[in-house]
Amino acid sequence: MRYLSTRGGMAPLPFCETVLMGLAPDGGLLLPERYPRIDRATLDAWRGLGYAELAFEIIRLFADDIPADDLKGIVSRAYRAEVFGSEAIAPLKRLHDGLAILGLSNGPTLAFKDMAMQFLGQLFEYVLDKRGETLNILGATSGDTGSAAEYAMRGKRGINVFMLSPDGKMSAFQRAQMYSLQDENIHNIAIQGMFDDCQDIVKAVQNDHAFKARRKIGTVNSINWARVVAQVVYYFHGYFRATASNDEQVSFCVPSGNFGNVCAGHVARQMGLPVERLIVATNENDVLDEFFRTGRYAPRGSERTYVTSSPSMDISKASNFERFVFDLMGRDGEAVKRLWSEVDAGGGFQLDAETMGRVRDAFGFVSGKSAHADRIATIRQVDAEDGVVVDTHTADGIKVARELRREGETVVCLETALPAKFAETIREALDREPPRPAGFEALESLPQRVVMLPADAGQVKALIEKTLG
């Protein structure tokens, strides 16, 4: 299996050559030359597997340059009951109306990002050890990627993490999870701006090829293909848990900001998983919803990005959206390059009705949006009717899923995080504190370590230089 760039300017590379890369040299994102196709016999054989076993079977199709025994070791270390709280790893529960929630937030940082990041931590350490190299990770987070990456990479040999986050835009819990880490290889940088500013800095540094090569800069954002691959696994797992046989179809509703989570669902569907529809749920920052409704993709810039009560989705430029558009445009790298030149120039693009018909009919995408009043109402409703407290982003997904669900359609909502991470909104909705797992009782009172910088790639590079010496 070899990998190419969505913008067509990179010679195909094997998996391990892409793991440490981040963006392709031409500024595009990496995708496999083809998606592996899963036949019915394979689907039947996978149905009874545990999570780590399933992860091995799926990831080996994309990472065929890692010896099987080595890959088994990587996934078995990543997906352990000790890390995720139970052998189930990602349990599924049903609400009274049949809507299912796939529990993806049982890892060390209580968010779905742990599902991929625990794998990525083990994978990075393995690849670096084999190559005798070091890696300096530069990432951006709107709330959950940062802590998941830092907890997965803390203490790892040969790895430093520099994590950008928008100053004052995350919940107190999210900030404390990141900024309280005292590990020498973890460096938090609060950027005066929005998540999109942080993401733009990461891309600017990635595109400074001399600096990137000299300082061994990699990324853990979902622009890293290995992270998307790891997320593909829980779509298969969720499908098996939500169905009695492989004759059934399932739709997934995915709270979406940067499009990485639902992009993994797109890959699973292209592989042959019986997915009826992929339902994209946005918050007030509804650029993706606007696209799926109208064909217009127009990022609004940080100055017009709303600060909301589902902050991990306060994103206007959805990085992984480029991967889907590459497939939509028949894998024409030049076409994608033209479209993103319009985006990078501060504009956007409009796709025609015929193309948008294929978005719905050939690729199964639909979308909806949720605002603050909607998520408050949904949190109250789910608590009252099912005795389940959900976080704000998962509430957005449930609201949109209920709005768009067809009669007889099995819909699985992907849980985004545990409600403890968004206590202020939970208190507003339920007039009580959300349940908080053991070990997190005094998190916000721990000493915090963070550096403040303006939204300037040059200053971030200077800080990296100073830190590394």
Side-chain angles (χ1 to χ4, degrees):
M1 178 67 75
R2 297 172 77 81
Y3 292 83
L4 41 75
S5 168
T6 53
R7 301 188 188 181
M10 185 186 85
L13 293 172
F15 179 79
C16 283
E17 290 296 315
T18 71
V19 167
L20 308 180
M21 181 177 286
L23 286 178
D26 63 357
L29 300 176
L30 304 179
L31 275 177
E33 287 183 309
R34 56 176 178 78
Y35 296 120
R37 291 290 297 176
I38 305 304
D39 60 23
R40 175 59 185 264
T42 303
L43 209 57
D44 290 344
W46 286 359
R47 178 167 278 275
L49 297 181
Y51 197 93
E53 296 171 307
L54 181 63
F56 168 73
E57 294 294 344
I58 292 171
I59 295 171
R60 72 189 296 195
L61 301 175
F62 294 94
D64 57 5
D65 56 341
I66 298 178
D69 286 346
D70 291 355
L71 184 58
K72 281 181 181 176
I74 291 169
V75 297
S76 64
R77 290 190 297 273
Y79 300 113
R80 294 178 290 129
E82 297 87 342
V83 176
F84 288 93
S86 74
E87 293 292 342
I89 307 295
L92 184 130
K93 59 190 169 195
R94 293 188 187 274
L95 303 182
H96 75 283
D97 62 352
L99 202 69
I101 299 176
L102 185 61
L104 301 176
S105 304
N106 301 308
T109 71
L110 316 183
F112 83 96
K113 304 293 176 74
D114 289 322
M115 298 298 296
M117 215 61 77
Q118 287 295 311
F119 168 74
L120 216 58
Q122 299 293 339
L123 178 66
F124 279 169
E125 192 170 47
Y126 170 84
V127 172
L128 291 169
D129 184 61
K130 288 289 185 185
R131 296 165 66 141
E133 295 181 8
T134 59
L135 181 67
N136 296 305
I137 293 167
L138 177 63
T141 185
S142 55
D144 293 325
T145 292
S147 56
E150 291 177 353
Y151 277 73
M153 306 296 167
R154 61 190 304 196
K156 287 283 190 294
R157 296 187 304 276
I159 298 176
N160 283 291
V161 178
F162 297 87
M163 188 59 61
L164 311 181
S165 57
D167 180 46
K169 305 300 190 298
M170 303 184 297
S171 73
F173 189 106
Q174 288 174 311
R175 288 194 298 271
Q177 268 194 316
M178 293 172 56
Y179 301 166
S180 65
L181 290 179
Q182 304 297 320
D183 304 75
E184 289 186 5
N185 70 327
I186 303 299
H187 311 279
N188 282 297
I189 306 167
I191 296 294
Q192 295 166 325
M194 298 295 291
F195 169 77
D196 291 321
D197 297 305
C198 301
Q199 186 165 256
D200 286 346
I201 292 170
V202 170
K203 289 186 174 181
V205 175
Q206 284 276 325
N207 284 317
D208 182 342
H209 302 300
F211 181 84
K212 180 180 176 180
R214 181 164 51 84
R215 285 305 189 180
K216 308 290 187 184
I217 302 295
T219 182
V220 290
N221 277 54
S222 50
I223 60 176
N224 187 305
W225 170 250
R227 197 176 126 187
V228 178
V229 169
Q231 291 176 294
V232 170
V233 176
Y234 56 68
Y235 281 89
F236 281 84
H237 172 82
Y239 171 80
F240 293 137
R241 296 299 174 271
T243 58
S245 83
N246 295 326
D247 295 320
E248 301 176 47
Q249 281 194 314
V250 160
S251 295
F252 289 92
C253 186
V254 190
S256 297
N258 216 18
F259 207 75
N261 199 358
V262 75
C263 183
H266 162 68
V267 173
R269 192 176 189 272
Q270 296 304 110
M271 290 172 68
L273 187 68
V275 175
E276 183 178 354
R277 296 195 297 167
L278 292 164
I279 304 169
V280 175
T282 72
N283 66 6
E284 293 90 332
N285 296 295
D286 57 351
V287 170
L288 290 172
D289 182 46
E290 180 180 37
F291 170 79
F292 288 111
R293 286 186 297 102
T294 71
R296 176 72 177 161
Y297 179 66
R300 294 166 191 164
S302 59
E303 70 281 355
R304 291 190 292 148
T305 300
Y306 299 108
V307 178
T308 78
S309 51
S310 49
S312 299
M313 289 151 56
D314 290 348
I315 298 169
S316 171
K317 291 180 186 174
S319 277
N320 285 279
F321 185 59
E322 182 173 335
R323 284 188 166 111
F324 168 65
V325 173
F326 179 68
D327 285 342
L328 176 63
M329 304 306 288
R331 306 199 126 211
D332 182 343
E334 283 300 318
V336 172
K337 190 175 177 180
R338 285 194 302 273
L339 292 175
W340 255 263
S341 69
E342 298 175 39
V343 173
D344 293 340
F349 56 80
Q350 175 75 51
L351 300 184
D352 59 33
E354 181 183 352
T355 303
M356 292 309 296
R358 287 193 290 112
V359 169
R360 291 182 292 272
D361 300 335
F363 293 98
F365 277 98
V366 293
S367 70
K369 65 181 286 188
S370 172
H372 181 74
D374 298 316
R375 66 185 65 99
I376 292 293
T378 301
I379 291 167
R380 286 174 180 160
Q381 182 185 29
V382 174
D383 178 60
E385 295 177 345
D386 293 284
V388 174
V389 181
V390 296
D391 83 289
T392 53
H393 310 74
T394 307
D396 289 336
I398 293 170
K399 183 265 183 182
V400 172
R402 285 177 166 166
E403 190 172 74
L404 299 182
R405 183 168 53 160
R406 298 165 171 164
E407 185 175 352
E409 185 178 22
T410 299
V411 178
V412 176
C413 289
L414 299 193
E415 179 186 75
T416 302
L418 293 192
K421 301 191 81 163
F422 308 97
E424 183 178 348
T425 307
I426 301 302
R427 285 194 297 270
E428 179 184 347
L430 303 179
D431 197 28
R432 68 177 193 269
E433 292 293 326
R436 183 172 284 218
F440 292 91
E441 294 83 1
L443 182 68
E444 291 90 338
S445 64
L446 294 175
Q448 297 187 9
R449 186 166 62 98
V450 62
V451 175
M452 182 95 64
L453 286 181
D456 180 85
Q459 293 202 38
V460 170
K461 286 190 284 188
L463 178 64
I464 293 171
E465 295 273 25
K466 181 180 177 183
T467 303
L468 297 178

